[in-house]
Amino acid sequence: NGYYGMLEMLRDWVRTIPLTGEDHTVGVNSKVTGGSFRLTFVQFSLEDEYWVCKNGADGCKKSLFSWWSKTGCKEPRLPAGRTCSDGRLSGDLSELENDLDWHEANFMADATYMAAALRDAVDIFHDSPAHRQHVLIIMTDGQMNPLEPQRSTEIPAIRKDLDAENVITFGVVIRKGATHTKADIDAEATLKPVTSDPHDEHFVNVPLDNLLDEVFNDLCDPAGPFGASIQRAQQQQQQQTAPAQSGAVPCSKWGVKLECRADKACSWNTPAPATCPGSGCPNLNCLSLPAAQVQLGMTCTNCRLTRGAITCLAGATNPVGSGYCGATACETYCEQAPCEQDVVNHCFWDVDKCQRKVCDYADKTSCEADPDKLCMWNTTVSPATCDVNKCQYFSQGTCVADAECAWDPRMLKCVEKHPDCTTITDKLQCLNYVSGACDWSCTAQACMRRECNELTMAACQGSTDGCVWDAVSSACQKERCVGVTTENTCISDSACKWAASTCVETKCYKYATEAVCYKDTDCHWDPTGCAGCTERYCYKTYSDAAACNEDANNLCMWDTTGNKCVDKTCESYNDPAMGQDRMCACQSDSRCMVDRTVPSSPMCRDQNYNQCPSLDLVIAFSGSTTMDMKFGAHPNGFDALMEALKDWVATLPLTGEKAGVATTDKGGRVRVAFSQFDQGVRVAECPTCACSPTPATAGDGIPTVSVMNTQGAGRPADSCGKLTGDVAQLVADLDWHEGQSRRPNALVKEAAVFAGEVFKESPSFRKKMFLIISDSTIQDSGSLGPAVSVLTSQGVQVFGIALTRGVPDALDEANLEELKLIVSSPPEGYTQMLQIDAAMDVIGNLCYPNTQFGSLVIEGSSALPPCIAVQSIPVCTSRPTCQWNTLTFACEDHPCFRHCGQTGCLNDTMNQCTFNGQSLQCQKEVCKDHATQLDCLTHGCEWDAMKDPRCSENPCYATTVDQCRQLGKQCTWDAAMQPAPMCIQTPCYYANETSCVADTDCEWNSVCTSDPRCVQKTCTRADHQTQAACVAEATCVWTSSLTCAIQRCAKYLTENCCTTDVGCQWDLQASMCKEKYCSKTYPTAATKTQCDA
């Protein structure tokens, strides 16, 4: 909906600009100066009507005449307690947000008349003081109503009245797409005459998607479409009010050296001023902070000066730079001769004034060595000369207005749209080029120009270069495979396949984007960057069932429904169509394992998730505009991440429980929730929710959740922003996120608040994990303290992944450092900087013990790792299902483990297999066959003369302290063990309460609700029933009821829990909680005198 899209862009803009802070009642009495805004919004459509939000009145009945509105409106009044601008100028954010809410609820439609709205604008500006600039922006998507021009005198008369109020009138035609249509061209013809003179300088025609960046974000930028006109009016105003300051030029608005040096009216001066007169900021070229930013608590160091605007962000730090931008010394010359004689300042005469020559170098070497890389040696002219780089623009609007230039939203700079790709040597730099003009040739291992790039449908179809248009992807592709006559040449091209003695394109090659590619289940995106969208291995390789099912690598299976060969995953074995022996087949697949948590319903799982604890996971990923950029082989980073997450959730050992269902799983299964962060947080909400943003905010005016109807035809309901263990709901969530447009900024606070709310529904027996994935520098890490504290109190582990497009640059490093301020401790262990494919490998191995994140996630899990994850020879050989491969020097599954049934197992005498009736698995005979203690211990087994058999497997076999520690927390080095120290199983190392209390030597400590755990009994043991035995234990105390109890503070097992009790403190050296001296020594009111003494 274009109307809502436009209003939400305005909302985004209003939240970023400096407002005066004055409400609508101030009117002509506004005293605020310093570059801050007041606004109001007027809607026009019906003849002789204009609609504005009115306080306590019907804003839909505003008319030039006494008639009431022909249509009326849906919600004419704001809800009680809310105040809008009342159709007057306001610098109050809440009033303006209420204005936008009101207009969203009341859409006039029907026609396009604007005379009444223009007349209202005259009245509005009449109530604005002379020291403030008056700007009117008219936006429309269609021509004025045919009756409007017939009022030949009305519009010009209103135009004169606007001029009398010193109003600069701009016009914006909003079109639906990149190409022009008759509708927007007709709109131009009727809107341009209404704008200020010269009309062409006060008018733009832009696609809706570009409205925010090209018009509003650059509104005051001298290089933007409207900024120059606004600046000229400002200078004229200054000359009228303060002639002595008429020399003030816009150089003070340039905050970056490169931008300053590119302006021939300015020069970069050093050093930077240490202090400024009045309230000016040294790091802002001595400009003062806008009043609205001061009211928000911003200081000089929170703000930055770029592209003519002061932007501020809480938590940001911008120290004083090395220099500042000021007017060039050349401007002091009023005559041509002395101007041209000043070579020190590089002056030249420019028509009627003296300016500084930019890139004033005489030779190629000096030119290309410009310290700011501002200059290029231009050989297209004779003689060659030093010129400013192509596309040296500093705002998106002026950049994209040049057909040869493209805007890089990540680096915030303008680049050439059609560079010489052959000069780029790095593969990822080639693939990441922002305009998409370059492609990597895997054959030549070189960067080449992308063929058929950027052609429209008409140009593509009319091309003689072998280009073809794909309607599915709406993209032009190079035609391949045609004319190839040999099979080997054909199949060497990933886009081709040999069929019926003919070389034809694969059905997947035509899909130009990753999102479209994955919609076809027979296709996948090649992450190497060599093939684009390709047919999946099984589909491409086999066309008959017999060959498919006999794939040598056991990767394929025949789909009888689709009558085709498809990829086989561990989850595939759970399909009843695989037959009664499917669990047997699962166990025979080296990638898989049989999960017998529910004996009556075994499930096939990926071995990577064998050690997963019962886990609740919230993943927050960046929805910033930069995620829509190229990420190496991926044309769109956000789409790539969404598709990879869809594949990932299909392999997870999910609980199977839908959102909102209280989980009962304690068997190592997973629930997940997703959120997207940019200016706030967005989650896929229930289809029953209202289709508008929630009014609830987190104190910064940003809605905590965008609530939208996400129920499509035939689509499963989304998770409603809750944890879910249902794969269909998770895929639906990701589909919703993929369908949302990206927005500027990377603010994580609301996503962290959302995670805290989600984890309130997670029971204490489940592990909790919050993962942040961002490609842009987190902008609000300094304000996340309260939200992170809540997560910490809930026992949540916070992880962070900084996404990079290639070799990490300064922005990637900055992103990583900001993430380290948010994640759990130690931050180095909880953060990684990765490319998208590597990041998905990390997520895919989330419970794998030998990975950085996996080792932290599985802490406390009682499940054994798969054989391939075991790195210790003694541990490997002691496992009944594992063996050590001396050729690969790695642990692997024992041949016995691949037998499914008891008969096949016992018949394997060569491998000495035995069938374990309890675990229902085939395993090797190891420890029970060793009859003597010496033989038992020599083979890494555990000897107990009181048991039968006396020799059994020892999961903690190790010969050194370091080896013992490597086995994890389930093993402990017992230095007091006789006859020699050894590694033993950690007493009471149980992951859940049931297993814990079943052991008579253990008890469940849930005092720390965020971190309950199983501990050895101390004070309540049978041998502590006398006072002497009780007080001999350091953590016990003898009570007045003649029982032994744990000391007041000893029950707190972590520092966080310890400090919640005012009478306790954490002893770092002893790593335990102890009672403070005073509260321990004088515990009652009876000892007050002694305490005070």
Side-chain angles (χ1 to χ4, degrees), residues 997-1015:
V997 297
D999 189 326
T1000 56
D1001 292 328
C1002 308
E1003 62 185 358
W1004 188 254
N1005 184 323
S1006 58
V1007 175
C1008 298
T1009 55
S1010 62
D1011 187 19
R1013 61 179 70 175
C1014 191
V1015 297

mmCIF file with all atom_site columns, all heavy atoms in Angstrom, residues 997-1015:
data_model
loop_
_atom_site.group_PDB
_atom_site.id
_atom_site.type_symbol
_atom_site.label_atom_id
_atom_site.label_alt_id
_atom_site.label_comp_id
_atom_site.label_asym_id
_atom_site.label_entity_id
_atom_site.label_seq_id
_atom_site.pdbx_PDB_ins_code
_atom_site.Cartn_x
_atom_site.Cartn_y
_atom_site.Cartn_z
_atom_site.occupancy
_atom_site.B_iso_or_equiv
_atom_site.pdbx_formal_charge
_atom_site.auth_seq_id
_atom_site.auth_comp_id
_atom_site.auth_asym_id
_atom_site.auth_atom_id
_atom_site.pdbx_PDB_model_num
ATOM 1   N N   . VAL A 1 997  ? 17.734 -36.456 42.120 1.00 0.00 ? 997  VAL A N   1
ATOM 2   C CA  . VAL A 1 997  ? 17.197 -36.933 43.402 1.00 0.00 ? 997  VAL A CA  1
ATOM 3   C C   . VAL A 1 997  ? 17.124 -38.459 43.451 1.00 0.00 ? 997  VAL A C   1
ATOM 4   O O   . VAL A 1 997  ? 16.976 -39.045 44.520 1.00 0.00 ? 997  VAL A O   1
ATOM 5   C CB  . VAL A 1 997  ? 15.810 -36.322 43.676 1.00 0.00 ? 997  VAL A CB  1
ATOM 6   C CG1 . VAL A 1 997  ? 15.904 -34.816 43.811 1.00 0.00 ? 997  VAL A CG1 1
ATOM 7   C CG2 . VAL A 1 997  ? 14.815 -36.692 42.565 1.00 0.00 ? 997  VAL A CG2 1
ATOM 8   N N   . ALA A 1 998  ? 17.263 -39.107 42.279 1.00 0.00 ? 998  ALA A N   1
ATOM 9   C CA  . ALA A 1 998  ? 17.285 -40.571 42.268 1.00 0.00 ? 998  ALA A CA  1
ATOM 10  C C   . ALA A 1 998  ? 18.587 -41.103 42.858 1.00 0.00 ? 998  ALA A C   1
ATOM 11  O O   . ALA A 1 998  ? 18.659 -42.265 43.261 1.00 0.00 ? 998  ALA A O   1
ATOM 12  C CB  . ALA A 1 998  ? 17.099 -41.080 40.843 1.00 0.00 ? 998  ALA A CB  1
ATOM 13  N N   . ASP A 1 999  ? 19.592 -40.262 42.893 1.00 0.00 ? 999  ASP A N   1
ATOM 14  C CA  . ASP A 1 999  ? 20.885 -40.628 43.482 1.00 0.00 ? 999  ASP A CA  1
ATOM 15  C C   . ASP A 1 999  ? 20.857 -40.182 44.947 1.00 0.00 ? 999  ASP A C   1
ATOM 16  O O   . ASP A 1 999  ? 20.753 -38.987 45.249 1.00 0.00 ? 999  ASP A O   1
ATOM 17  C CB  . ASP A 1 999  ? 22.017 -39.918 42.733 1.00 0.00 ? 999  ASP A CB  1
ATOM 18  C CG  . ASP A 1 999  ? 23.399 -40.421 43.153 1.00 0.00 ? 999  ASP A CG  1
ATOM 19  O OD1 . ASP A 1 999  ? 23.564 -40.761 44.344 1.00 0.00 ? 999  ASP A OD1 1
ATOM 20  O OD2 . ASP A 1 999  ? 24.308 -40.430 42.305 1.00 0.00 ? 999  ASP A OD2 1
ATOM 21  N N   . THR A 1 1000 ? 20.937 -41.114 45.864 1.00 0.00 ? 1000 THR A N   1
ATOM 22  C CA  . THR A 1 1000 ? 20.781 -40.799 47.294 1.00 0.00 ? 1000 THR A CA  1
ATOM 23  C C   . THR A 1 1000 ? 21.884 -39.915 47.839 1.00 0.00 ? 1000 THR A C   1
ATOM 24  O O   . THR A 1 1000 ? 21.752 -39.347 48.934 1.00 0.00 ? 1000 THR A O   1
ATOM 25  C CB  . THR A 1 1000 ? 20.731 -42.100 48.115 1.00 0.00 ? 1000 THR A CB  1
ATOM 26  O OG1 . THR A 1 1000 ? 21.922 -42.864 47.843 1.00 0.00 ? 1000 THR A OG1 1
ATOM 27  C CG2 . THR A 1 1000 ? 19.502 -42.922 47.744 1.00 0.00 ? 1000 THR A CG2 1
ATOM 28  N N   . ASP A 1 1001 ? 22.991 -39.755 47.121 1.00 0.00 ? 1001 ASP A N   1
ATOM 29  C CA  . ASP A 1 1001 ? 24.071 -38.890 47.570 1.00 0.00 ? 1001 ASP A CA  1
ATOM 30  C C   . ASP A 1 1001 ? 23.927 -37.462 47.051 1.00 0.00 ? 1001 ASP A C   1
ATOM 31  O O   . ASP A 1 1001 ? 24.786 -36.613 47.317 1.00 0.00 ? 1001 ASP A O   1
ATOM 32  C CB  . ASP A 1 1001 ? 25.429 -39.439 47.104 1.00 0.00 ? 1001 ASP A CB  1
ATOM 33  C CG  . ASP A 1 1001 ? 25.782 -40.750 47.804 1.00 0.00 ? 1001 ASP A CG  1
ATOM 34  O OD1 . ASP A 1 1001 ? 25.380 -40.911 48.976 1.00 0.00 ? 1001 ASP A OD1 1
ATOM 35  O OD2 . ASP A 1 1001 ? 26.457 -41.588 47.180 1.00 0.00 ? 1001 ASP A OD2 1
ATOM 36  N N   . CYS A 1 1002 ? 22.853 -37.195 46.316 1.00 0.00 ? 1002 CYS A N   1
ATOM 37  C CA  . CYS A 1 1002 ? 22.719 -35.892 45.657 1.00 0.00 ? 1002 CYS A CA  1
ATOM 38  C C   . CYS A 1 1002 ? 21.417 -35.198 46.055 1.00 0.00 ? 1002 CYS A C   1
ATOM 39  O O   . CYS A 1 1002 ? 20.469 -35.822 46.517 1.00 0.00 ? 1002 CYS A O   1
ATOM 40  C CB  . CYS A 1 1002 ? 22.747 -36.062 44.135 1.00 0.00 ? 1002 CYS A CB  1
ATOM 41  S SG  . CYS A 1 1002 ? 24.159 -37.016 43.537 1.00 0.00 ? 1002 CYS A SG  1
ATOM 42  N N   . GLU A 1 1003 ? 21.400 -33.868 45.820 1.00 0.00 ? 1003 GLU A N   1
ATOM 43  C CA  . GLU A 1 1003 ? 20.187 -33.083 46.040 1.00 0.00 ? 1003 GLU A CA  1
ATOM 44  C C   . GLU A 1 1003 ? 20.130 -31.964 45.004 1.00 0.00 ? 1003 GLU A C   1
ATOM 45  O O   . GLU A 1 1003 ? 21.151 -31.518 44.482 1.00 0.00 ? 1003 GLU A O   1
ATOM 46  C CB  . GLU A 1 1003 ? 20.154 -32.506 47.461 1.00 0.00 ? 1003 GLU A CB  1
ATOM 47  C CG  . GLU A 1 1003 ? 21.287 -31.554 47.785 1.00 0.00 ? 1003 GLU A CG  1
ATOM 48  C CD  . GLU A 1 1003 ? 21.267 -31.116 49.259 1.00 0.00 ? 1003 GLU A CD  1
ATOM 49  O OE1 . GLU A 1 1003 ? 20.362 -31.533 49.984 1.00 0.00 ? 1003 GLU A OE1 1
ATOM 50  O OE2 . GLU A 1 1003 ? 22.172 -30.362 49.649 1.00 0.00 ? 1003 GLU A OE2 1
ATOM 51  N N   . TRP A 1 1004 ? 18.901 -31.517 44.681 1.00 0.00 ? 1004 TRP A N   1
ATOM 52  C CA  . TRP A 1 1004 ? 18.672 -30.492 43.642 1.00 0.00 ? 1004 TRP A CA  1
ATOM 53  C C   . TRP A 1 1004 ? 18.606 -29.121 44.298 1.00 0.00 ? 1004 TRP A C   1
ATOM 54  O O   . TRP A 1 1004 ? 17.771 -28.864 45.147 1.00 0.00 ? 1004 TRP A O   1
ATOM 55  C CB  . TRP A 1 1004 ? 17.371 -30.794 42.903 1.00 0.00 ? 1004 TRP A CB  1
ATOM 56  C CG  . TRP A 1 1004 ? 17.129 -29.925 41.702 1.00 0.00 ? 1004 TRP A CG  1
ATOM 57  C CD1 . TRP A 1 1004 ? 16.236 -28.913 41.587 1.00 0.00 ? 1004 TRP A CD1 1
ATOM 58  C CD2 . TRP A 1 1004 ? 17.792 -30.015 40.440 1.00 0.00 ? 1004 TRP A CD2 1
ATOM 59  N NE1 . TRP A 1 1004 ? 16.285 -28.362 40.340 1.00 0.00 ? 1004 TRP A NE1 1
ATOM 60  C CE2 . TRP A 1 1004 ? 17.252 -29.028 39.599 1.00 0.00 ? 1004 TRP A CE2 1
ATOM 61  C CE3 . TRP A 1 1004 ? 18.798 -30.839 39.933 1.00 0.00 ? 1004 TRP A CE3 1
ATOM 62  C CZ2 . TRP A 1 1004 ? 17.669 -28.831 38.286 1.00 0.00 ? 1004 TRP A CZ2 1
ATOM 63  C CZ3 . TRP A 1 1004 ? 19.222 -30.654 38.618 1.00 0.00 ? 1004 TRP A CZ3 1
ATOM 64  C CH2 . TRP A 1 1004 ? 18.668 -29.664 37.809 1.00 0.00 ? 1004 TRP A CH2 1
ATOM 65  N N   . ASN A 1 1005 ? 19.538 -28.243 43.908 1.00 0.00 ? 1005 ASN A N   1
ATOM 66  C CA  . ASN A 1 1005 ? 19.592 -26.886 44.457 1.00 0.00 ? 1005 ASN A CA  1
ATOM 67  C C   . ASN A 1 1005 ? 18.955 -25.943 43.452 1.00 0.00 ? 1005 ASN A C   1
ATOM 68  O O   . ASN A 1 1005 ? 19.517 -25.675 42.392 1.00 0.00 ? 1005 ASN A O   1
ATOM 69  C CB  . ASN A 1 1005 ? 21.055 -26.490 44.720 1.00 0.00 ? 1005 ASN A CB  1
ATOM 70  C CG  . ASN A 1 1005 ? 21.167 -25.118 45.390 1.00 0.00 ? 1005 ASN A CG  1
ATOM 71  O OD1 . ASN A 1 1005 ? 20.408 -24.205 45.086 1.00 0.00 ? 1005 ASN A OD1 1
ATOM 72  N ND2 . ASN A 1 1005 ? 22.115 -24.983 46.300 1.00 0.00 ? 1005 ASN A ND2 1
ATOM 73  N N   . SER A 1 1006 ? 17.749 -25.433 43.786 1.00 0.00 ? 1006 SER A N   1
ATOM 74  C CA  . SER A 1 1006 ? 17.052 -24.508 42.884 1.00 0.00 ? 1006 SER A CA  1
ATOM 75  C C   . SER A 1 1006 ? 16.935 -23.120 43.498 1.00 0.00 ? 1006 SER A C   1
ATOM 76  O O   . SER A 1 1006 ? 16.066 -22.339 43.117 1.00 0.00 ? 1006 SER A O   1
ATOM 77  C CB  . SER A 1 1006 ? 15.660 -25.060 42.546 1.00 0.00 ? 1006 SER A CB  1
ATOM 78  O OG  . SER A 1 1006 ? 14.918 -25.264 43.746 1.00 0.00 ? 1006 SER A OG  1
ATOM 79  N N   . VAL A 1 1007 ? 17.785 -22.828 44.479 1.00 0.00 ? 1007 VAL A N   1
ATOM 80  C CA  . VAL A 1 1007 ? 17.778 -21.489 45.100 1.00 0.00 ? 1007 VAL A CA  1
ATOM 81  C C   . VAL A 1 1007 ? 18.031 -20.436 44.020 1.00 0.00 ? 1007 VAL A C   1
ATOM 82  O O   . VAL A 1 1007 ? 17.386 -19.387 43.988 1.00 0.00 ? 1007 VAL A O   1
ATOM 83  C CB  . VAL A 1 1007 ? 18.844 -21.403 46.217 1.00 0.00 ? 1007 VAL A CB  1
ATOM 84  C CG1 . VAL A 1 1007 ? 18.903 -19.985 46.765 1.00 0.00 ? 1007 VAL A CG1 1
ATOM 85  C CG2 . VAL A 1 1007 ? 18.506 -22.386 47.323 1.00 0.00 ? 1007 VAL A CG2 1
ATOM 86  N N   . CYS A 1 1008 ? 19.000 -20.718 43.146 1.00 0.00 ? 1008 CYS A N   1
ATOM 87  C CA  . CYS A 1 1008 ? 19.251 -19.832 42.009 1.00 0.00 ? 1008 CYS A CA  1
ATOM 88  C C   . CYS A 1 1008 ? 18.320 -20.271 40.886 1.00 0.00 ? 1008 CYS A C   1
ATOM 89  O O   . CYS A 1 1008 ? 18.639 -21.209 40.149 1.00 0.00 ? 1008 CYS A O   1
ATOM 90  C CB  . CYS A 1 1008 ? 20.704 -19.928 41.546 1.00 0.00 ? 1008 CYS A CB  1
ATOM 91  S SG  . CYS A 1 1008 ? 21.887 -19.418 42.802 1.00 0.00 ? 1008 CYS A SG  1
ATOM 92  N N   . THR A 1 1009 ? 17.181 -19.634 40.762 1.00 0.00 ? 1009 THR A N   1
ATOM 93  C CA  . THR A 1 1009 ? 16.182 -20.072 39.784 1.00 0.00 ? 1009 THR A CA  1
ATOM 94  C C   . THR A 1 1009 ? 16.690 -19.985 38.359 1.00 0.00 ? 1009 THR A C   1
ATOM 95  O O   . THR A 1 1009 ? 16.223 -20.713 37.479 1.00 0.00 ? 1009 THR A O   1
ATOM 96  C CB  . THR A 1 1009 ? 14.900 -19.235 39.918 1.00 0.00 ? 1009 THR A CB  1
ATOM 97  O OG1 . THR A 1 1009 ? 15.253 -17.838 39.792 1.00 0.00 ? 1009 THR A OG1 1
ATOM 98  C CG2 . THR A 1 1009 ? 14.240 -19.472 41.256 1.00 0.00 ? 1009 THR A CG2 1
ATOM 99  N N   . SER A 1 1010 ? 17.644 -19.072 38.117 1.00 0.00 ? 1010 SER A N   1
ATOM 100 C CA  . SER A 1 1010 ? 18.171 -18.934 36.762 1.00 0.00 ? 1010 SER A CA  1
ATOM 101 C C   . SER A 1 1010 ? 19.212 -19.997 36.447 1.00 0.00 ? 1010 SER A C   1
ATOM 102 O O   . SER A 1 1010 ? 19.582 -20.181 35.284 1.00 0.00 ? 1010 SER A O   1
ATOM 103 C CB  . SER A 1 1010 ? 18.781 -17.542 36.568 1.00 0.00 ? 1010 SER A CB  1
ATOM 104 O OG  . SER A 1 1010 ? 19.877 -17.363 37.458 1.00 0.00 ? 1010 SER A OG  1
ATOM 105 N N   . ASP A 1 1011 ? 19.711 -20.693 37.465 1.00 0.00 ? 1011 ASP A N   1
ATOM 106 C CA  . ASP A 1 1011 ? 20.760 -21.689 37.235 1.00 0.00 ? 1011 ASP A CA  1
ATOM 107 C C   . ASP A 1 1011 ? 20.642 -22.832 38.243 1.00 0.00 ? 1011 ASP A C   1
ATOM 108 O O   . ASP A 1 1011 ? 21.533 -23.061 39.057 1.00 0.00 ? 1011 ASP A O   1
ATOM 109 C CB  . ASP A 1 1011 ? 22.140 -21.016 37.329 1.00 0.00 ? 1011 ASP A CB  1
ATOM 110 C CG  . ASP A 1 1011 ? 23.267 -21.969 36.931 1.00 0.00 ? 1011 ASP A CG  1
ATOM 111 O OD1 . ASP A 1 1011 ? 22.976 -22.970 36.259 1.00 0.00 ? 1011 ASP A OD1 1
ATOM 112 O OD2 . ASP A 1 1011 ? 24.422 -21.708 37.311 1.00 0.00 ? 1011 ASP A OD2 1
ATOM 113 N N   . PRO A 1 1012 ? 19.536 -23.598 38.211 1.00 0.00 ? 1012 PRO A N   1
ATOM 114 C CA  . PRO A 1 1012 ? 19.406 -24.734 39.138 1.00 0.00 ? 1012 PRO A CA  1
ATOM 115 C C   . PRO A 1 1012 ? 20.402 -25.824 38.754 1.00 0.00 ? 1012 PRO A C   1
ATOM 116 O O   . PRO A 1 1012 ? 20.727 -25.988 37.587 1.00 0.00 ? 1012 PRO A O   1
ATOM 117 C CB  . PRO A 1 1012 ? 17.962 -25.194 38.922 1.00 0.00 ? 1012 PRO A CB  1
ATOM 118 C CG  . PRO A 1 1012 ? 17.648 -24.768 37.527 1.00 0.00 ? 1012 PRO A CG  1
ATOM 119 C CD  . PRO A 1 1012 ? 18.397 -23.489 37.294 1.00 0.00 ? 1012 PRO A CD  1
ATOM 120 N N   . ARG A 1 1013 ? 20.873 -26.568 39.754 1.00 0.00 ? 1013 ARG A N   1
ATOM 121 C CA  . ARG A 1 1013 ? 21.842 -27.626 39.446 1.00 0.00 ? 1013 ARG A CA  1
ATOM 122 C C   . ARG A 1 1013 ? 21.837 -28.705 40.523 1.00 0.00 ? 1013 ARG A C   1
ATOM 123 O O   . ARG A 1 1013 ? 21.342 -28.497 41.626 1.00 0.00 ? 1013 ARG A O   1
ATOM 124 C CB  . ARG A 1 1013 ? 23.241 -27.032 39.285 1.00 0.00 ? 1013 ARG A CB  1
ATOM 125 C CG  . ARG A 1 1013 ? 23.759 -26.327 40.532 1.00 0.00 ? 1013 ARG A CG  1
ATOM 126 C CD  . ARG A 1 1013 ? 25.164 -25.777 40.323 1.00 0.00 ? 1013 ARG A CD  1
ATOM 127 N NE  . ARG A 1 1013 ? 25.192 -24.653 39.420 1.00 0.00 ? 1013 ARG A NE  1
ATOM 128 C CZ  . ARG A 1 1013 ? 26.302 -23.945 39.164 1.00 0.00 ? 1013 ARG A CZ  1
ATOM 129 N NH1 . ARG A 1 1013 ? 27.450 -24.302 39.725 1.00 0.00 ? 1013 ARG A NH1 1
ATOM 130 N NH2 . ARG A 1 1013 ? 26.274 -22.922 38.354 1.00 0.00 ? 1013 ARG A NH2 1
ATOM 131 N N   . CYS A 1 1014 ? 22.420 -29.834 40.173 1.00 0.00 ? 1014 CYS A N   1
ATOM 132 C CA  . CYS A 1 1014 ? 22.531 -30.972 41.081 1.00 0.00 ? 1014 CYS A CA  1
ATOM 133 C C   . CYS A 1 1014 ? 23.848 -30.874 41.856 1.00 0.00 ? 1014 CYS A C   1
ATOM 134 O O   . CYS A 1 1014 ? 24.903 -30.624 41.259 1.00 0.00 ? 1014 CYS A O   1
ATOM 135 C CB  . CYS A 1 1014 ? 22.482 -32.273 40.278 1.00 0.00 ? 1014 CYS A CB  1
ATOM 136 S SG  . CYS A 1 1014 ? 22.286 -33.741 41.298 1.00 0.00 ? 1014 CYS A SG  1
ATOM 137 N N   . VAL A 1 1015 ? 23.787 -31.047 43.187 1.00 0.00 ? 1015 VAL A N   1
ATOM 138 C CA  . VAL A 1 1015 ? 24.989 -30.949 44.017 1.00 0.00 ? 1015 VAL A CA  1
ATOM 139 C C   . VAL A 1 1015 ? 25.033 -32.134 44.991 1.00 0.00 ? 1015 VAL A C   1
ATOM 140 O O   . VAL A 1 1015 ? 24.020 -32.784 45.249 1.00 0.00 ? 1015 VAL A O   1
ATOM 141 C CB  . VAL A 1 1015 ? 25.017 -29.621 44.814 1.00 0.00 ? 1015 VAL A CB  1
ATOM 142 C CG1 . VAL A 1 1015 ? 25.070 -28.425 43.887 1.00 0.00 ? 1015 VAL A CG1 1
ATOM 143 C CG2 . VAL A 1 1015 ? 23.794 -29.513 45.736 1.00 0.00 ? 1015 VAL A CG2 1
#
